[in-house]
Amino acid sequence: MAKLLYITAHPHDHQASYSMAVGQAFIESYRESHPQDEIVHLDLYKMDIPHIDADVFSGWGKLRSGGEFSSLSGDEQKKVARLGEIVEQFVSGDKYVFVTPMWNFSYPPIMKAYIDSICVAGKTFSYTKEGPVGLLKGKSAIHIQARGGVYTEGPAAGLECGHRHLNAIMMFVGITDFKGIFVEGMNAMPENAAEIKEKAIAEAKKEAKVFGAAATAKV
């Protein structure tokens, strides 16, 4: 049995969001194809995700200097402990599905806060003489992203930063089996919006049936 973390970073549900609609189709297809697997939905907009601020830096500094957790202030304890819970949960997953809209060429800030919480030395990567090495090898991830315009080709190609950043993060933590499903062009071509959505849903259902197979075969 594998554990899949379904990580959504959208304030709307599947009825109002293209990316969430495609994400839901993916999960439904995955559940049918992998009934033995555990699926955990992480709605980032409903989670407590501390920003890495002065309290966090101070708390981490005290712990690295040999201090006890009890020596941290109340705010330091709360934030440091919560960040620890988030990364432990992430590490416990075998497969990851990220769902985001494209906002201002990237993704919502809550997604960046989540990424910051899971990039932790000793948990998802380690420092070596040859540089950082990812610790999550053998796992799989996919990113479902909705874009109002077209960014895979044409004059706007290369402007999208969210998927590219997530790809870099996945490589950093050792996840090389990483793909993207893009729902794009609905605003640029509103007359084709329904067709674009259905095409992405069909792709999601197909990908869900084999999700993680490539990484498993390499182990």
Side-chain angles (χ1 to χ4, degrees):
M1 183 179 77
K3 182 177 182 180
L4 182 151
L5 299 186
Y6 179 51
I7 304 163
T8 61
H10 203 300
H12 294 150
D13 63 15
H14 66 282
Q15 295 179 323
S17 160
Y18 285 99
S19 56
M20 291 292 284
V22 177
Q24 183 184 58
F26 183 100
I27 288 300
E28 289 176 351
S29 178
Y30 183 89
R31 186 176 285 111
E32 291 176 0
S33 304
H34 306 76
Q36 74 283 0
D37 288 358
E38 177 186 5
I39 299 174
V40 179
H41 183 191
L42 304 181
D43 183 343
L44 301 190
Y45 274 89
K46 295 181 180 179
M47 287 176 59
D48 171 24
I49 306 176
H51 288 267
I52 298 179
D53 59 10
D55 290 328
V56 173
F57 278 123
S58 176
W60 282 344
K62 291 176 182 178
L63 294 176
R64 292 194 187 102
S65 299
E68 297 292 333
F69 184 76
S70 58
S71 69
L72 275 60
S73 70
D75 286 340
E76 290 170 347
Q77 289 186 15
K78 180 180 178 181
K79 295 176 182 179
V80 168
R82 179 56 186 149
L83 288 171
E85 291 172 352
I86 293 172
V87 70
E88 290 292 351
Q89 182 183 51
F90 188 79
V91 171
S92 74
D94 301 296
K95 305 177 184 182
Y96 310 94
V97 179
F98 297 92
V99 179
T100 74
M102 187 188 79
W103 287 0
N104 300 316
F105 306 115
S106 187
Y107 36 55
I110 193 69
M111 182 65 176
K112 178 58 167 61
Y114 183 75
I115 289 174
D116 287 343
S117 73
I118 63 172
C119 292
V120 180
K123 296 293 183 179
T124 54
F125 73 95
S126 63
Y127 290 114
T128 70
K129 293 181 179 179
E130 290 73 34
V133 175
L135 301 178
L136 303 185
K137 294 180 174 61
K139 303 192 179 190
S140 302
I142 195 164
H143 181 207
I144 297 172
Q145 183 192 53
R147 311 162 171 178
V150 176
Y151 293 87
T152 53
E153 60 184 8
L159 292 179
E160 193 283 327
C161 301
H163 180 73
R164 289 190 293 156
H165 181 240
L166 188 55
N167 179 59
I169 294 298
M170 292 298 101
M171 294 290 289
F172 180 66
V173 300
I175 300 175
T176 57
D177 182 26
F178 178 66
K179 297 180 179 180
I181 296 177
F182 310 122
V183 199
E184 62 175 9
M186 297 79 67
N187 293 345
M189 300 171 286
E191 69 279 6
N192 297 330
E195 179 183 351
I196 292 169
K197 178 180 178 181
E198 289 308 312
K199 183 178 179 181
I201 286 177
E203 181 183 357
K205 289 180 177 180
K206 181 179 179 181
E207 288 289 345
K209 294 178 180 179
V210 297
F211 181 47
T216 302
K218 295 176 184 177
V219 174

